[in-house]
Protein backbone atom coordinates (compact mmCIF):
# COMPACT_ATOMS: atom_id res chain seq x y z
CA UNK A 1 0.00 0.00 0.00
CA UNK A 2 1.49 3.33 -1.03
CA UNK A 3 0.88 6.81 0.27
CA UNK A 4 -0.96 8.79 -2.38
CA UNK A 5 -3.23 11.67 -3.26
CA UNK A 6 -6.68 10.49 -4.35
CA UNK A 7 -8.48 12.93 -6.64
CA UNK A 8 -12.23 12.42 -7.08
CA UNK A 9 -13.97 14.35 -9.83
CA UNK A 10 -17.12 13.69 -7.87
CA UNK A 11 -17.51 12.46 -4.28
CA UNK A 12 -20.00 12.17 -1.45
CA UNK A 13 -18.65 13.73 1.74
CA UNK A 14 -20.95 13.85 4.73
CA UNK A 15 -23.66 12.72 2.30
CA UNK A 16 -23.21 15.85 0.15
CA UNK A 17 -21.83 15.92 -3.40
CA UNK A 18 -18.42 17.56 -3.79
CA UNK A 19 -16.74 18.27 -7.14
CA UNK A 20 -12.99 17.85 -7.59
CA UNK A 21 -12.51 16.66 -4.03
CA UNK A 22 -9.26 15.07 -2.92
CA UNK A 23 -7.81 13.28 0.06
CA UNK A 24 -4.31 12.27 1.10
CA UNK A 25 -3.76 8.64 2.13
CA UNK A 26 -0.85 8.03 4.48
CA UNK A 27 -0.34 4.65 6.13
CA UNK A 28 -3.86 3.60 5.15
CA UNK A 29 -5.47 6.61 6.84
CA UNK A 30 -6.91 9.82 5.41
CA UNK A 31 -4.38 12.40 6.57
CA UNK A 32 -5.74 15.47 4.80
CA UNK A 33 -8.74 16.30 2.60
CA UNK A 34 -10.35 19.17 0.73
CA UNK A 35 -10.54 20.80 -2.71
CA UNK A 36 -8.04 19.26 -5.11
CA UNK A 37 -6.56 22.62 -6.11
CA UNK A 38 -5.69 23.36 -2.49
CA UNK A 39 -4.52 19.87 -1.64
CA UNK A 40 -2.28 19.51 -4.68
CA UNK A 41 0.07 22.11 -3.20
CA UNK A 42 0.13 20.45 0.19
CA UNK A 43 0.75 16.95 -1.19
CA UNK A 44 3.24 17.67 -3.94
CA UNK A 45 5.49 14.81 -2.83
CA UNK A 46 2.83 12.14 -3.41
CA UNK A 47 1.76 10.16 -6.48
CA UNK A 48 -1.84 10.79 -7.54
CA UNK A 49 -4.70 8.41 -8.25
CA UNK A 50 -7.49 10.15 -10.15
CA UNK A 51 -11.12 9.25 -10.81
CA UNK A 52 -12.99 11.33 -13.41
CA UNK A 53 -16.45 12.82 -12.76
CA UNK A 54 -18.25 9.90 -14.42
CA UNK A 55 -17.19 7.99 -11.31
CA UNK A 56 -18.63 8.69 -7.88
CA UNK A 57 -16.29 8.18 -4.92
CA UNK A 58 -18.13 7.39 -1.68
CA UNK A 59 -17.10 6.06 1.73
CA UNK A 60 -17.14 2.26 2.00
CA UNK A 61 -20.36 0.94 3.50
CA UNK A 62 -20.42 -0.22 7.12
CA UNK A 63 -22.20 -3.48 7.91
CA UNK A 64 -22.97 -3.35 11.64
CA UNK A 65 -24.26 -6.90 12.11
CA UNK A 66 -23.75 -10.13 10.17
CA UNK A 67 -23.80 -13.90 10.58
CA UNK A 68 -21.94 -14.66 7.37
CA UNK A 69 -22.26 -18.44 7.52
CA UNK A 70 -26.02 -18.03 7.06
CA UNK A 71 -25.50 -17.54 3.32
CA UNK A 72 -25.65 -21.35 3.40
CA UNK A 73 -29.32 -21.19 4.44
CA UNK A 74 -30.60 -19.08 1.63
CA UNK A 75 -32.99 -20.58 -0.84
CA UNK A 76 -33.88 -23.76 1.03
CA UNK A 77 -34.65 -22.19 4.42
CA UNK A 78 -36.80 -19.31 3.19
CA UNK A 79 -40.40 -18.65 4.22
CA UNK A 80 -40.20 -20.31 7.64
CA UNK A 81 -41.27 -19.07 11.04
CA UNK A 82 -38.36 -17.84 13.16
CA UNK A 83 -38.57 -20.94 15.37
CA UNK A 84 -38.60 -23.36 12.41
CA UNK A 85 -35.82 -21.44 10.64
CA UNK A 86 -33.65 -21.72 13.75
CA UNK A 87 -34.35 -25.35 14.68
CA UNK A 88 -34.79 -26.98 11.23
CA UNK A 89 -32.28 -24.99 9.20
CA UNK A 90 -29.70 -23.26 11.36
CA UNK A 91 -29.31 -25.99 13.99
CA UNK A 92 -29.22 -28.62 11.25
CA UNK A 93 -26.35 -27.02 9.38
CA UNK A 94 -24.11 -25.77 12.16
CA UNK A 95 -22.95 -29.11 13.67
CA UNK A 96 -21.73 -30.24 10.25
CA UNK A 97 -19.33 -27.37 9.59
CA UNK A 98 -15.57 -27.87 9.82
CA UNK A 99 -13.04 -25.02 10.15
CA UNK A 100 -12.18 -25.52 6.48
CA UNK A 101 -15.87 -25.10 5.56
CA UNK A 102 -16.00 -21.96 7.66
CA UNK A 103 -13.01 -20.51 5.84
CA UNK A 104 -14.62 -20.98 2.44
CA UNK A 105 -18.12 -19.91 3.46
CA UNK A 106 -16.78 -16.72 5.02
CA UNK A 107 -14.48 -16.09 2.07
CA UNK A 108 -17.49 -16.35 -0.24
CA UNK A 109 -19.64 -14.11 1.97
CA UNK A 110 -16.96 -11.46 2.50
CA UNK A 111 -16.21 -11.43 -1.24
CA UNK A 112 -19.90 -10.83 -1.95
CA UNK A 113 -19.92 -8.02 0.61
CA UNK A 114 -16.89 -6.29 -0.93
CA UNK A 115 -18.49 -6.54 -4.37
CA UNK A 116 -21.54 -4.81 -2.86
CA UNK A 117 -19.41 -2.02 -1.41
CA UNK A 118 -19.27 -3.25 2.19
CA UNK A 119 -15.74 -2.48 3.39
CA UNK A 120 -16.37 -3.00 7.14
CA UNK A 121 -18.30 -5.89 8.62
CA UNK A 122 -19.20 -6.55 12.25
CA UNK A 123 -19.37 -10.31 12.32
CA UNK A 124 -21.39 -11.62 15.26
CA UNK A 125 -19.71 -15.01 15.45
CA UNK A 126 -21.07 -17.83 17.58
CA UNK A 127 -19.62 -21.12 16.26
CA UNK A 128 -17.27 -21.35 19.24
CA UNK A 129 -18.17 -24.37 21.31
CA UNK A 130 -15.20 -26.47 20.23
CA UNK A 131 -12.61 -23.73 20.74
CA UNK A 132 -11.10 -21.05 18.55
CA UNK A 133 -10.52 -23.08 15.38
CA UNK A 134 -13.74 -21.86 13.71
CA UNK A 135 -13.10 -18.25 14.70
CA UNK A 136 -9.57 -18.41 13.34
CA UNK A 137 -10.86 -19.72 10.01
CA UNK A 138 -13.33 -16.82 9.77
CA UNK A 139 -10.59 -14.32 10.62
CA UNK A 140 -8.30 -15.79 7.97
CA UNK A 141 -11.13 -15.28 5.46
CA UNK A 142 -11.33 -11.61 6.49
CA UNK A 143 -7.59 -11.25 6.12
CA UNK A 144 -7.44 -12.95 2.72
CA UNK A 145 -10.37 -11.01 1.24
CA UNK A 146 -9.17 -7.72 2.72
CA UNK A 147 -12.44 -6.68 4.35
CA UNK A 148 -12.21 -4.68 7.60
CA UNK A 149 -13.67 -6.78 10.38
CA UNK A 150 -15.11 -6.13 13.80
CA UNK A 151 -15.14 -9.60 15.31
CA UNK A 152 -17.96 -9.73 17.85
CA UNK A 153 -17.01 -12.96 19.55
CA UNK A 154 -20.17 -14.48 20.98
CA UNK A 155 -20.60 -15.82 24.50
CA UNK A 156 -23.48 -18.24 25.05
CA UNK A 157 -24.29 -20.62 27.92
CA UNK A 158 -28.01 -21.38 27.67
CA UNK A 159 -28.82 -25.04 28.13
CA UNK A 160 -31.10 -25.16 25.07
CA UNK A 161 -28.37 -24.00 22.65
CA UNK A 162 -26.50 -26.66 20.64
CA UNK A 163 -23.17 -27.68 22.15
CA UNK A 164 -21.37 -26.04 19.20
CA UNK A 165 -22.41 -22.67 20.66
CA UNK A 166 -22.13 -23.24 24.42
CA UNK A 167 -19.24 -22.33 26.72
CA UNK A 168 -18.56 -21.53 30.35
CA UNK A 169 -17.79 -17.91 31.22
CA UNK A 170 -14.22 -18.88 31.99
CA UNK A 171 -13.66 -20.56 28.62
CA UNK A 172 -15.35 -17.74 26.71
CA UNK A 173 -13.14 -15.19 28.44
CA UNK A 174 -9.94 -17.16 27.84
CA UNK A 175 -10.68 -17.83 24.18
CA UNK A 176 -11.70 -14.22 23.51
CA UNK A 177 -8.47 -12.99 25.08
CA UNK A 178 -6.46 -15.39 22.96
CA UNK A 179 -8.14 -14.10 19.78
CA UNK A 180 -7.50 -10.49 20.79
CA UNK A 181 -3.82 -11.27 21.24
CA UNK A 182 -3.41 -13.26 18.05
CA UNK A 183 -5.48 -10.99 15.77
CA UNK A 184 -4.84 -7.43 16.98
CA UNK A 185 -6.09 -6.01 13.65
CA UNK A 186 -9.50 -7.69 13.92
CA UNK A 187 -11.25 -5.46 16.51
CA UNK A 188 -12.13 -8.55 18.56
CA UNK A 189 -14.83 -7.63 21.09
CA UNK A 190 -17.45 -9.48 23.15
CA UNK A 191 -21.00 -10.44 22.29
CA UNK A 192 -23.11 -12.17 24.93
CA UNK A 193 -25.66 -13.62 22.53
CA UNK A 194 -28.90 -12.31 24.08
CA UNK A 195 -30.89 -12.22 27.29
CA UNK A 196 -32.32 -15.64 26.48
CA UNK A 197 -29.11 -17.41 25.34
CA UNK A 198 -26.64 -16.03 27.87
CA UNK A 199 -27.06 -16.18 31.64
CA UNK A 200 -27.15 -12.99 33.71
CA UNK A 201 -23.76 -13.92 35.14
CA UNK A 202 -22.37 -14.26 31.64
CA UNK A 203 -23.78 -10.90 30.52
CA UNK A 204 -22.31 -9.21 33.60
CA UNK A 205 -18.96 -10.86 32.90
CA UNK A 206 -19.02 -9.78 29.24
CA UNK A 207 -19.78 -6.17 30.16
CA UNK A 208 -16.93 -6.25 32.68
CA UNK A 209 -14.64 -7.71 30.00
CA UNK A 210 -15.55 -4.85 27.62
CA UNK A 211 -14.71 -2.26 30.29
CA UNK A 212 -11.49 -3.97 31.29
CA UNK A 213 -10.23 -4.44 27.73
CA UNK A 214 -11.66 -1.23 26.27
CA UNK A 215 -13.82 -2.86 23.61
CA UNK A 216 -17.47 -2.89 22.60
CA UNK A 217 -20.16 -5.35 23.67
CA UNK A 218 -22.68 -6.49 21.05
CA UNK A 219 -25.93 -8.14 22.20
CA UNK A 220 -29.18 -9.16 20.45
CA UNK A 221 -32.07 -7.35 22.14
CA UNK A 222 -35.84 -7.37 21.63
CA UNK A 223 -35.98 -8.80 18.12
CA UNK A 224 -39.32 -10.44 18.94
CA UNK A 225 -42.05 -9.73 21.52
CA UNK A 226 -41.50 -12.97 23.46
CA UNK A 227 -38.19 -11.79 24.87
CA UNK A 228 -39.69 -8.82 26.69
CA UNK A 229 -42.66 -10.84 27.90
CA UNK A 230 -40.27 -13.45 29.28
CA UNK A 231 -37.90 -11.06 31.05
CA UNK A 232 -40.81 -9.11 32.50
CA UNK A 233 -42.44 -12.25 33.87
CA UNK A 234 -39.20 -13.78 35.19
CA UNK A 235 -37.23 -10.75 36.29
CA UNK A 236 -39.72 -7.88 36.48
CA UNK A 237 -37.97 -5.83 33.81
CA UNK A 238 -38.11 -5.36 30.04
CA UNK A 239 -34.87 -6.13 28.11
CA UNK A 240 -33.08 -2.75 28.00
CA UNK A 241 -33.98 -2.05 31.62
CA UNK A 242 -32.71 -5.51 32.53
CA UNK A 243 -29.38 -4.93 30.75
CA UNK A 244 -29.07 -1.72 32.74
CA UNK A 245 -29.70 -3.61 35.96
CA UNK A 246 -26.93 -6.06 34.97
CA UNK A 247 -24.42 -3.17 34.56
CA UNK A 248 -24.40 -3.94 30.84
CA UNK A 249 -25.79 -0.74 29.34
CA UNK A 250 -23.33 2.04 28.55
CA UNK A 251 -21.44 3.59 25.62
CA UNK A 252 -19.82 0.21 24.92
CA UNK A 253 -23.17 -1.52 24.43
CA UNK A 254 -24.37 -2.22 20.89
CA UNK A 255 -27.98 -3.38 21.01
CA UNK A 256 -28.86 -5.41 17.93
CA UNK A 257 -32.48 -4.91 16.74
CA UNK A 258 -34.14 -3.09 19.71
CA UNK A 259 -37.58 -3.41 18.10
CA UNK A 260 -39.86 -4.25 21.03
CA UNK A 261 -38.80 -1.69 23.61
CA UNK A 262 -40.76 0.86 25.61
CA UNK A 263 -40.49 4.65 25.36
CA UNK A 264 -38.69 4.63 28.73
CA UNK A 265 -36.19 2.13 27.34
CA UNK A 266 -35.54 4.34 24.31
CA UNK A 267 -34.72 7.22 26.64
CA UNK A 268 -32.52 4.90 28.72
CA UNK A 269 -30.56 3.88 25.60
CA UNK A 270 -29.99 7.57 24.83
CA UNK A 271 -29.04 8.45 28.41
CA UNK A 272 -26.48 5.65 28.59
CA UNK A 273 -25.13 6.52 25.10
CA UNK A 274 -25.71 2.90 24.03
CA UNK A 275 -25.73 2.11 20.29
CA UNK A 276 -28.34 0.33 18.17
CA UNK A 277 -27.89 -1.67 14.97
CA UNK A 278 -30.98 -1.89 12.78
CA UNK A 279 -31.39 -4.81 10.34
CA UNK A 280 -34.34 -3.82 8.16
CA UNK A 281 -34.06 -6.52 5.45
CA UNK A 282 -33.74 -9.39 7.94
CA UNK A 283 -36.48 -7.90 10.12
CA UNK A 284 -38.78 -8.17 7.11
CA UNK A 285 -37.49 -11.56 5.98
CA UNK A 286 -38.07 -13.15 9.40
CA UNK A 287 -41.26 -11.20 10.08
CA UNK A 288 -39.73 -9.55 13.16
CA UNK A 289 -41.25 -6.07 13.09
CA UNK A 290 -40.11 -2.49 12.56
CA UNK A 291 -37.62 -0.69 14.78
CA UNK A 292 -38.58 2.87 15.72
CA UNK A 293 -35.52 4.36 14.04
CA UNK A 294 -36.93 7.89 13.94
CA UNK A 295 -37.84 7.82 17.61
CA UNK A 296 -34.35 6.66 18.55
CA UNK A 297 -32.66 9.15 16.21
CA UNK A 298 -34.78 11.92 17.68
CA UNK A 299 -33.40 11.05 21.12
CA UNK A 300 -29.83 11.13 19.77
CA UNK A 301 -29.10 7.39 19.81
CA UNK A 302 -26.18 6.48 17.53
CA UNK A 303 -27.23 3.78 15.08
CA UNK A 304 -26.03 1.69 12.18
CA UNK A 305 -27.33 -0.90 9.72
CA UNK A 306 -26.65 -4.62 9.44
CA UNK A 307 -27.29 -7.43 6.97
CA UNK A 308 -27.85 -9.97 9.80
CA UNK A 309 -29.11 -13.18 8.13
CA UNK A 310 -27.23 -12.27 4.93
CA UNK A 311 -29.91 -13.50 2.56
CA UNK A 312 -28.47 -10.83 0.28
CA UNK A 313 -25.56 -8.94 1.82
CA UNK A 314 -26.21 -5.47 0.40
CA UNK A 315 -25.96 -2.24 2.35
CA UNK A 316 -27.69 -0.39 -0.51
CA UNK A 317 -30.71 -2.64 0.07
CA UNK A 318 -30.51 -2.05 3.84
CA UNK A 319 -30.38 1.74 3.39
CA UNK A 320 -33.38 1.62 1.08
CA UNK A 321 -35.31 -0.66 3.44
CA UNK A 322 -34.43 1.60 6.40
CA UNK A 323 -36.08 4.61 4.80
CA UNK A 324 -39.06 2.76 3.31
CA UNK A 325 -39.95 0.99 6.56
CA UNK A 326 -39.98 4.28 8.50
CA UNK A 327 -42.29 5.80 5.88
CA UNK A 328 -44.64 2.85 6.26
CA UNK A 329 -44.44 2.87 10.05
CA UNK A 330 -45.25 6.59 10.18
CA UNK A 331 -47.59 6.56 7.18
CA UNK A 332 -45.60 9.55 6.00
CA UNK A 333 -43.66 9.72 2.73
CA UNK A 334 -41.55 12.56 4.07
CA UNK A 335 -40.24 10.42 6.93
CA UNK A 336 -36.58 9.39 7.18
CA UNK A 337 -35.08 10.42 3.85
CA UNK A 338 -32.18 9.21 1.71
CA UNK A 339 -29.51 11.29 3.50
CA UNK A 340 -30.54 9.89 6.88
CA UNK A 341 -30.40 6.32 5.58
CA UNK A 342 -27.02 6.87 3.91
CA UNK A 343 -25.65 8.27 7.18
CA UNK A 344 -26.70 5.08 9.02
CA UNK A 345 -24.95 2.94 6.40
CA UNK A 346 -21.71 4.95 6.54
CA UNK A 347 -20.55 7.58 9.06
CA UNK A 348 -23.05 7.00 11.85
CA UNK A 349 -22.79 3.22 11.47
CA UNK A 350 -19.02 3.48 11.93
CA UNK A 351 -19.47 5.58 15.09
CA UNK A 352 -21.92 3.01 16.41
CA UNK A 353 -19.25 0.30 16.04
CA UNK A 354 -16.49 2.52 17.38
CA UNK A 355 -14.41 2.26 14.19
CA UNK A 356 -12.81 5.27 12.46
CA UNK A 357 -14.23 4.95 8.95
CA UNK A 358 -17.45 5.84 7.12
CA UNK A 359 -16.60 9.26 5.66
CA UNK A 360 -13.86 10.72 3.47
CA UNK A 361 -12.42 13.02 6.11
CA UNK A 362 -9.08 13.22 7.97
CA UNK A 363 -8.60 10.74 10.78
CA UNK A 364 -10.63 8.00 9.15
CA UNK A 365 -9.30 4.88 7.47
CA UNK A 366 -9.07 5.27 3.69
CA UNK A 367 -12.02 2.95 3.02
CA UNK A 368 -13.82 4.03 -0.14
CA UNK A 369 -15.71 2.89 -3.21
CA UNK A 370 -15.71 3.91 -6.83
CA UNK A 371 -19.23 3.82 -8.26
CA UNK A 372 -20.43 4.12 -11.84
CA UNK A 373 -21.89 7.64 -11.80
CA UNK A 374 -23.31 7.27 -15.32
CA UNK A 375 -26.19 5.38 -13.64
CA UNK A 376 -27.23 8.49 -11.74
CA UNK A 377 -29.87 10.64 -13.45
CA UNK A 378 -28.17 13.99 -14.11
CA UNK A 379 -31.00 15.84 -12.37
CA UNK A 380 -30.86 13.65 -9.23
CA UNK A 381 -28.79 14.20 -6.10
CA UNK A 382 -26.28 11.33 -5.89
CA UNK A 383 -27.41 10.19 -2.46
CA UNK A 384 -31.05 9.89 -3.56
CA UNK A 385 -30.04 7.89 -6.63
CA UNK A 386 -27.93 5.57 -4.52
CA UNK A 387 -30.51 4.93 -1.79
CA UNK A 388 -33.67 4.67 -3.92
CA UNK A 389 -32.34 3.31 -7.22
CA UNK A 390 -28.83 2.08 -6.46
CA UNK A 391 -27.62 -1.41 -7.28
CA UNK A 392 -24.64 -3.34 -5.97
CA UNK A 393 -23.24 -3.61 -9.49
CA UNK A 394 -22.65 0.14 -9.54
CA UNK A 395 -19.58 -0.69 -7.40
CA UNK A 396 -16.55 -0.73 -9.69
CA UNK A 397 -13.83 -0.82 -7.05
CA UNK A 398 -13.47 -1.00 -3.27
CA UNK A 399 -10.50 0.17 -1.18
CA UNK A 400 -9.80 -0.73 2.45
CA UNK A 401 -7.08 1.23 4.23
CA UNK A 402 -6.06 2.66 0.85
CA UNK A 403 -5.51 -0.81 -0.70
CA UNK A 404 -7.71 -1.99 -3.56
CA UNK A 405 -9.54 -5.13 -2.42
CA UNK A 406 -12.19 -5.32 -5.16
CA UNK A 407 -11.50 -4.55 -8.78
CA UNK A 408 -14.96 -4.75 -10.34
CA UNK A 409 -14.89 -8.46 -11.02
CA UNK A 410 -14.65 -11.68 -9.05
CA UNK A 411 -11.11 -12.42 -7.87
CA UNK A 412 -9.58 -15.88 -8.26
CA UNK A 413 -10.15 -16.42 -4.54
CA UNK A 414 -13.80 -15.31 -4.70
CA UNK A 415 -14.37 -17.63 -7.63
CA UNK A 416 -12.82 -20.56 -5.79
CA UNK A 417 -14.89 -19.77 -2.68
CA UNK A 418 -18.12 -19.70 -4.69
CA UNK A 419 -17.29 -23.18 -6.05
CA UNK A 420 -16.46 -24.52 -2.57
CA UNK A 421 -19.68 -23.04 -1.23
CA UNK A 422 -21.68 -25.12 -3.71
CA UNK A 423 -19.91 -28.31 -2.56
CA UNK A 424 -20.45 -27.50 1.13
CA UNK A 425 -24.11 -26.66 0.59
CA UNK A 426 -24.64 -29.88 -1.34
CA UNK A 427 -23.11 -31.86 1.53
CA UNK A 428 -24.80 -30.21 4.54
CA UNK A 429 -28.29 -29.64 3.15
CA UNK A 430 -28.96 -33.07 1.66
ZN1 LIG B 1 -28.20 -11.41 14.53
Amino acid sequence: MTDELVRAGRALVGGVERRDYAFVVRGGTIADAGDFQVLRERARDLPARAFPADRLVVPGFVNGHSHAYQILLRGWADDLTFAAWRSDALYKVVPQLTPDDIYWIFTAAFSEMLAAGITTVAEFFYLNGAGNAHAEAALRAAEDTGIRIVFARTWMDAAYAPPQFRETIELARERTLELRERFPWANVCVAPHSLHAASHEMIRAAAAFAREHDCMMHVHVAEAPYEGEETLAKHGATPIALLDRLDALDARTIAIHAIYITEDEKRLLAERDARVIHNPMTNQYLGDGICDVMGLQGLGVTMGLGTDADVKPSLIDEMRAATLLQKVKRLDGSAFGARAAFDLGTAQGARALGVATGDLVPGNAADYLVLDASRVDPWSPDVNALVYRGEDRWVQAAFVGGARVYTGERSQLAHQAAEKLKEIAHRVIS
Side-chain angles (χ1 to χ4, degrees):
M1 173 209 331
T2 50
D3 292 350
E4 61 187 9
L5 176 67
V6 178
R7 179 183 187 181
R10 183 169 166 182
L12 276 180
V13 184
V16 177
E17 185 182 312
R18 295 279 297 264
R19 292 277 172 167
D20 216 9
Y21 185 78
F23 51 92
V24 170
V25 180
R26 287 190 195 275
T29 300
I30 299 177
D32 198 358
D35 290 327
F36 171 72
Q37 297 304 337
V38 177
L39 229 63
R40 182 170 51 180
E41 293 306 308
R42 297 213 291 258
R44 220 178 291 172
D45 57 315
L46 293 178
R49 184 196 290 275
F51 301 104
D54 64 351
R55 304 282 186 273
L56 174 65
V57 177
V58 304
F61 303 142
V62 177
N63 185 356
H65 186 67
S66 154
H67 308 284
Y69 80 91
Q70 290 179 7
I71 64 171
L72 258 188
L73 304 185
R74 58 194 185 193
W76 66 277
D78 297 333
D79 306 327
L80 299 175
T81 63
F82 180 80
W85 173 81
R86 192 176 62 184
S87 58
D88 302 346
L90 195 139
Y91 287 178
K92 176 187 173 193
V93 161
V94 163
Q96 305 184 56
L97 300 178
T98 67
D100 193 53
D101 295 338
I102 294 288
Y103 174 78
W104 288 114
I105 296 165
F106 277 70
T107 299
F110 292 160
S111 299
E112 282 189 22
M113 287 184 197
L114 286 168
I118 294 165
T119 51
T120 296
V121 59
E123 176 60 32
F124 196 115
F125 188 88
Y126 52 78
L127 310 172
N128 297 310
N132 274 340
H134 287 73
E136 285 163 17
L139 287 164
R140 268 195 298 120
E143 189 171 22
D144 290 354
T145 55
I147 201 165
R148 185 178 303 286
I149 193 165
V150 172
F151 197 75
R153 205 277 186 192
T154 303
W155 294 15
M156 202 187 296
D157 62 357
Y160 77 82
Q164 290 78 13
F165 299 163
R166 248 183 287 141
E167 288 168 311
T168 61
I169 294 171
E170 214 29 67
L171 270 178
R173 195 187 283 132
E174 258 170 45
R175 290 167 175 171
T176 306
L177 272 177
E178 187 194 309
L179 288 178
R180 283 175 61 83
E181 272 164 29
R182 288 194 44 209
F183 301 92
W185 47 267
N187 300 297
V188 177
C189 55
V190 282
H193 180 277
S194 57
L195 283 160
H196 48 90
S199 64
H200 289 184
E201 296 70 38
M202 185 172 249
I203 291 173
R204 276 186 192 279
F209 184 100
R211 282 190 293 272
E212 186 184 342
H213 297 283
D214 191 19
C215 67
M216 302 298 277
M217 186 195 85
H218 300 231
V219 57
H220 289 111
V221 184
E223 179 175 3
Y226 78 87
E227 184 182 280
E229 289 158 12
E230 225 174 81
T231 60
L232 194 60
K234 275 197 206 158
H235 311 290
T238 43
I240 301 291
L242 185 54
L243 282 178
D244 196 44
R245 202 203 280 171
L246 297 173
D247 290 323
L249 191 71
D250 55 32
R252 301 185 184 286
T253 307
I254 301 180
I256 312 297
H257 298 301
I259 299 172
Y260 296 95
I261 60 176
T262 65
E263 293 304 314
D264 281 347
E265 288 183 303
K266 290 172 197 169
R267 280 189 288 276
L268 192 54
L269 280 168
E271 270 167 36
R272 298 284 187 266
D273 196 21
R275 322 298 161 90
V276 170
I277 300 293
H278 175 41
N279 306 277
M281 290 300 290
T282 298
N283 292 158
Q284 293 177 86
Y285 175 77
L286 294 175
D288 294 333
I290 306 177
C291 173
D292 180 18
V293 175
M294 287 186 76
L296 290 165
Q297 291 278 278
L299 291 165
V301 176
T302 304
M303 299 182 68
L305 297 174
T307 60
D308 198 5
D310 287 315
V311 172
K312 181 187 173 202
S314 164
L315 241 285
I316 294 177
D317 283 10
E318 300 295 341
M319 291 191 272
R320 183 177 304 135
T323 144
L324 298 183
L325 281 181
Q326 292 306 298
K327 294 177 194 303
V328 170
K329 188 175 174 66
R330 302 262 167 165
L331 300 179
D332 176 3
S334 74
F336 208 67
R339 275 276 294 279
F342 181 78
D343 184 43
L344 289 193
T346 54
Q348 195 178 152
R351 283 202 305 281
L353 295 180
V355 179
T357 181
D359 203 3
L360 306 174
V361 296
N364 277 349
D367 300 347
Y368 62 97
L369 312 174
V370 182
L371 307 182
D372 180 359
S374 72
R375 313 270 186 159
V376 177
D377 295 317
W379 60 88
S380 166
D382 292 326
V383 74
N384 293 50
L386 190 62
V387 170
Y388 292 124
R389 298 187 48 250
E391 294 172 40
D392 298 333
R393 62 194 169 98
W394 291 10
V395 178
Q396 295 182 327
F399 292 77
V400 173
R404 180 150 47 191
V405 291
Y406 175 67
T407 61
E409 52 192 55
R410 231 183 215 186
S411 67
Q412 190 60 39
L413 181 67
H415 187 77
Q416 199 183 348
E419 289 305 310
K420 288 276 190 185
L421 183 65
K422 284 184 209 164
E423 291 172 25
I424 296 164
H426 184 73
R427 195 187 80 227
V428 300
I429 293 166
S430 55

